[in-house]
Amino acid sequence: MAERRRVDYSVHRDVMHKETVDNVFNPIHNTTTVREKVQKSVSCSGPRAKKCLVGSVPVVSWLPRYSFRENILGDIISGISVGIMHLPQGMAYAILASVPAVYGLYSSFYPVLVYFIFGTSKHISVGTYAVMSVMIGGVTERLAPDSAFSVFDNVTGEAIINTTLRDVERVKVAAAVTFLSGIFQVLLGLVQFGFVVMYLSEPLVRGYTTGAAIHVIVSQLKYTFGISPTRFSGPLALIYIVVATVVSWQVDLNGRYGIDVVGGIPSGLQPPALPKVSLFSQVIGDAFAISVVGYGLAISLGRIFALKYGYKVDSNQELIAFGLSNTFGGIFQCFAISCSMSRSMVQVSTGGRSQVAGALSAVVILVITMWIGQLFEDLPKAMLAAIIYVNLQGIMKQFMDIPALWRSNRIDMVVWIVTFVLTVLLNPDIGLAASIAFSLLTVIFRTQLPTYSLLGQIPDTDIYRPLNSYEQVQSLEHLQSHLDFLESNCNTTGITNNFTIFELQ
């Protein structure tokens, strides 16, 4: 093979000021008035109305083009598999939300059907989720504590808890906060607030879910050991729960012989009922935190699958879809939903290719609720606690993020650790707000104190590397004057070439 002939070449381009570029290339200036913009935004035509309908109700677009031959078998198998998973998870997460187990089945049915109509992700499994449930549980037990339903028993002479009235009130609280969180999500979606997910970086989300998982584990210790410690809320509540559990276990465990079971699971569905509006003022902060967390978890997972399988997830439409799911679910006494990583992985691995799989999983839950739910009334709550522990193993593996982030980006590692600590110590709602604030501070810090490197040319190549990193890199003669110019004018003047001279870090 003949030796390739080397060709020397040289490229020279002048540095141009922004004003020079404007004078030479005649920029186009937008002269549209505010009135014209308003008229354009409110105008309606046939094609625009169709586009609006398809964008707002995605099922109208994809369902007519659904390929039964290619997709239906996989979706059926996937829907049945995920529906079976919904059963134990729904009941277990209802216990986390401090409501009767059957409401976990309702939450695995109504919101899933609504998302089937309005959602844009083909692969996520919408429904109950541990983090959302423990946040709901914090609200329900704060506004409807056991002490508020304590009555005196004339027979035994002891105070007992009227669990029937307590559960009714807790369901009302859960429905109210779920309905209000759905309203927040719909409003945020309508004002195109989907970009809020940019402030929920991956280290923040993973650190937050890991911290929330610790709350979930602690909340299930009472079912594991068969004890009934007092529930605490607010900052440092997790530590007080732990202490109460240890004391109760040491003092009372040996004297208890009863087994706490799931209890009654009525057949059929609940009639719709408007949420208790008087509770809105007491849960507005919790509702907003739940709406942000639920959306952040769902859109993060949805984008992962969308990138892998080559389609687009509309962040604003997802806000509306989850908002409508929670709003509609709140009317039917459901608690707030998001998506589950474990169920989503099963949905994908069993052949699910579209939202049809999710709809079929809801049909499985409907069959269980209507006819065979009573078979699970004697299921011990300790078994549901074990199911929760198993489902959290994937989240607990996120501790391995710390050494990985140490090697790749230590600021992200700090965000992960601080988010985890704040979530554990301050509870999921306050911890989320504090974590976002800290994450924003790191962004401000990095943008206000940027670093850059002066690049030089590696001899006989067109490769440029930092001068302080390589011994043989050659500095070009005119770079220093350009550096002085950039440092004094970088905020006001644009430079159109030599873009490889500086490397921002």
Side-chain angles (χ1 to χ4, degrees):
M1 180 181 294
E3 182 178 356
R4 179 178 297 179
R5 180 182 179 184
R6 178 176 175 179
V7 179
D8 295 330
Y9 62 91
S10 175
V11 178
H12 173 76
R13 289 175 292 181
D14 294 331
V15 175
M16 301 180 67
H17 292 244
K18 182 178 184 299
E19 293 79 2
T20 305
V21 174
D22 291 345
N23 292 333
V24 173
F25 297 103
N26 300 323
I28 300 176
H29 299 284
N30 188 2
T31 58
T32 306
T33 64
V34 176
R35 180 179 179 181
E36 291 173 341
K37 292 181 179 179
V38 172
Q39 289 178 344
K40 182 178 180 180
S41 63
V42 299
S43 62
C44 183
S45 60
R48 184 170 184 176
K50 180 179 179 181
K51 182 179 180 181
C52 182
L53 175 63
V54 171
S56 302
V57 189
V59 70
V60 176
S61 173
W62 65 263
L63 188 58
R65 296 183 284 108
Y66 180 80
S67 176
F68 280 85
R69 177 177 298 179
E70 297 180 1
N71 300 330
I72 191 61
L73 180 59
D75 283 340
I76 290 176
I77 297 174
S78 177
I80 295 175
S81 302
V82 174
I84 293 173
M85 287 188 68
H86 269 299
L87 172 62
Q89 288 189 2
M91 293 193 297
Y93 295 156
I95 303 302
L96 278 181
S98 298
V99 296
V102 68
Y103 291 92
L105 301 182
Y106 300 154
S107 301
S108 302
F109 174 67
Y110 292 107
V112 176
L113 290 182
V114 176
Y115 184 84
F116 165 77
I117 299 173
F118 297 98
T120 61
S121 176
K122 300 178 182 180
H123 296 94
I124 64 173
S125 175
V126 174
T128 56
Y129 186 58
V131 175
M132 306 295 293
S133 300
V134 78
M135 295 180 73
I136 292 288
V139 182
T140 56
E141 296 198 7
R142 186 184 77 234
L143 297 183
D146 289 340
S147 58
F149 301 92
S150 180
V151 295
F152 183 78
D153 190 347
N154 294 325
V155 177
T156 62
E158 298 178 352
I160 61 174
I161 298 174
N162 190 330
T163 57
T164 302
L165 292 179
R166 181 201 64 185
D167 290 344
V168 169
E169 187 61 27
R170 286 182 174 180
V171 169
K172 292 180 180 179
V173 174
V177 71
T178 298
F179 180 87
L180 192 57
S181 67
I183 295 296
F184 278 130
Q185 288 174 327
V186 171
L187 293 177
L188 292 176
L190 292 176
V191 298
Q192 306 292 296
F193 205 66
F195 68 88
V196 71
V197 74
M198 293 188 300
Y199 298 101
L200 300 177
S201 63
E202 184 177 0
L204 187 147
V205 172
R206 293 174 70 87
Y208 176 80
T209 53
T210 308
I214 301 298
H215 284 274
V216 173
I217 292 173
V218 171
S219 70
Q220 295 305 290
L221 293 179
K222 60 183 179 181
Y223 299 119
T224 303
F225 294 106
I227 56 180
S228 301
T230 303
R231 175 70 179 256
F232 295 89
S233 61
L236 303 181
L238 181 138
I239 296 177
Y240 298 131
I241 290 171
V242 171
V243 174
T245 299
V246 173
V247 172
S248 299
W249 174 51
Q250 292 293 331
V251 173
D252 197 37
L253 180 61
N254 292 332
R256 296 182 62 90
Y257 297 98
I259 298 177
D260 199 4
V261 297
V262 169
I265 299 180
S267 300
L269 301 175
Q270 291 285 338
L274 290 177
K276 195 174 180 180
V277 180
S278 60
L279 293 171
F280 285 179
S281 60
Q282 303 177 64
V283 302
I284 186 170
D286 301 284
F288 185 79
I290 289 170
S291 67
V292 173
V293 172
Y295 169 69
L297 295 172
I299 194 65
S300 299
L301 188 58
R303 285 183 170 179
I304 292 174
F305 286 115
L307 181 62
K308 181 177 181 179
Y309 292 99
Y311 63 94
K312 182 179 180 181
V313 171
D314 188 331
S315 58
N316 291 308
Q317 181 60 30
E318 287 294 288
L319 259 177
I320 295 175
F322 277 95
L324 293 175
S325 297
N326 281 323
T327 302
F328 192 78
I331 296 176
F332 284 89
Q333 292 83 55
C334 302
F335 54 87
I337 54 94
S338 183
C339 69
S340 166
M341 170 66 83
S342 60
R343 290 198 310 269
S344 299
M345 293 302 296
V346 169
Q347 181 168 317
V348 172
S349 62
T350 53
R353 297 189 176 185
S354 70
Q355 294 93 317
V356 172
L360 293 175
S361 71
V363 174
V364 174
I365 291 297
L366 177 62
V367 172
I368 294 173
T369 305
M370 295 294 290
W371 290 288
I372 63 177
Q374 294 179 349
L375 298 177
F376 301 94
E377 290 182 351
D378 294 328
L379 186 68
K381 289 184 179 179
M383 292 185 63
L384 296 181
I387 292 173
I388 292 174
Y389 296 149
V390 172
N391 288 329
L392 291 178
Q393 64 176 339
I395 295 180
M396 301 309 295
K397 290 179 180 178
Q398 293 177 166
F399 278 110
M400 299 306 299
D401 291 350
I402 297 177
L405 291 174
W406 172 264
R407 295 188 295 268
S408 60
N409 191 319
R410 295 183 182 180
I411 295 180
D412 284 345
M413 183 199 69
V414 173
V415 171
W416 196 105
I417 294 175
V418 170
T419 300
F420 171 79
V421 173
L422 291 176
T423 304
V424 169
L425 296 181
L426 302 181
N427 277 7
D429 48 359
I430 302 176
L432 175 67
S435 301
I436 293 177
F438 178 79
S439 180
L440 291 177
L441 286 177
T442 64
V443 173
I444 294 173
F445 176 80
R446 283 184 279 188
T447 55
Q448 294 301 314
L449 298 175
T451 59
Y452 59 84
S453 300
L454 186 63
L455 303 184
Q457 185 182 30
I458 295 179
D460 300 326
T461 70
D462 58 355
I463 300 175
Y464 292 82
R465 290 294 183 265
L467 291 175
N468 57 358
S469 300
Y470 295 84
E471 295 182 357
Q472 298 181 351
V473 172
Q474 298 176 351
S475 174
L476 302 183
E477 297 178 355
H478 58 282
L479 284 184
Q480 188 59 48
S481 62
H482 293 339
L483 174 61
D484 297 336
F485 175 79
L486 178 63
E487 289 179 340
S488 60
N489 299 278
C490 62
N491 293 328
T492 58
T493 304
I495 296 181
T496 61
N497 86 8
N498 286 334
F499 54 87
T500 57
I501 292 178
F502 301 99
E503 179 183 61
L504 295 179
Q505 299 174 344

